[in-house]
Amino acid sequence: AVWKRKGAIQSAYRPAGGSWEVPVSVSGSGTEAFTPQAAVDAQGDATAVWMRYVGPKLVVQTAYRPAGGVWQTPTGLSAEGEEGGDPHIALDAHGDAMVVWEHYDGTNTVVRGSYRAAGGSWQEPTKVSGEGEEAQTPQVALDAQGDGVVAWAGSTKVVGGYVRTRSAYRPA
C-alpha cells in the first residue's frame, strides 16, 4: 500500500499470510509529494509512482521495491524541466511496467508515457496522444504478455469539438 502522509509518500507491505510491516518513506525528502499509486507483479516486486514539485513544476517520480527488499532511490520519469501530473501505473506478471501522465506542451495537455522492462531502466518518455488533441485522465493496463493499452479523454480545440475516449496500443 502507498499513501501521502505529511507531504511524503509512504508505504507498508504485507506478505501473503503475514502482518503489515512498519511504514517507510518512499519519496524521500524534499518538496511535497502526492497522488501515489502502486502496482505489484506476480513475484511480489512493487513499483510506485507519484507527483512532486521540483521548483515551480510538478514532475512524475517512481521507485521500485524488489520482493523482500527495500525501496530504491526515486527516479524522475518526466523529462528534465518538463511538467507532469496525474500519473498512473500498470505492471504485468513479469514485472514490466508502464506509466502514463498528463503534460502541458505549451499548446495542449497531452498524454506522455514511459516503459520499463523487468530488471531494466525506464525508457525516454514519449507522447502517446494525438497531434492537436487535448488529452486528460490517462489510464494504462498491461496484459500477461506485456502488451499495453492507454486510454484517455481526448478532444480537439475545434469549435463544437467532442470529448471522446481515445486509446493507443503498445505491443510487448
Side-chain angles (χ1 to χ4, degrees), residues 78-96:
S78 44
E80 184 74 27
E82 176 181 279
E83 193 157 23
D86 194 23
H88 294 270
I89 186 168
L91 263 67
D92 67 14
H94 308 289
D96 301 322

Side-chain angles (χ1 to χ4, degrees), residues 20-105:
W20 285 101
E21 296 177 352
V22 174
V24 297
S25 179
V26 177
S27 59
S29 61
T31 59
E32 185 168 352
F34 43 96
T35 66
Q37 284 198 345
V40 181
D41 67 21
Q43 293 77 35
D45 302 321
T47 302
V49 64
W50 62 89
M51 298 184 318
R52 140 172 281 144
Y53 279 104
V54 174
K57 295 185 184 269
L58 283 171
V59 298
V60 176
Q61 293 184 322
T62 185
Y64 170 76
R65 180 189 189 270
V70 298
W71 286 102
Q72 297 180 351
T73 303
T75 301
L77 286 183
S78 44
E80 184 74 27
E82 176 181 279
E83 193 157 23
D86 194 23
H88 294 270
I89 186 168
L91 263 67
D92 67 14
H94 308 289
D96 301 322
M98 187 180 293
V99 174
V100 295
W101 62 90
E102 292 178 5
H103 163 68
Y104 182 69
D105 68 5

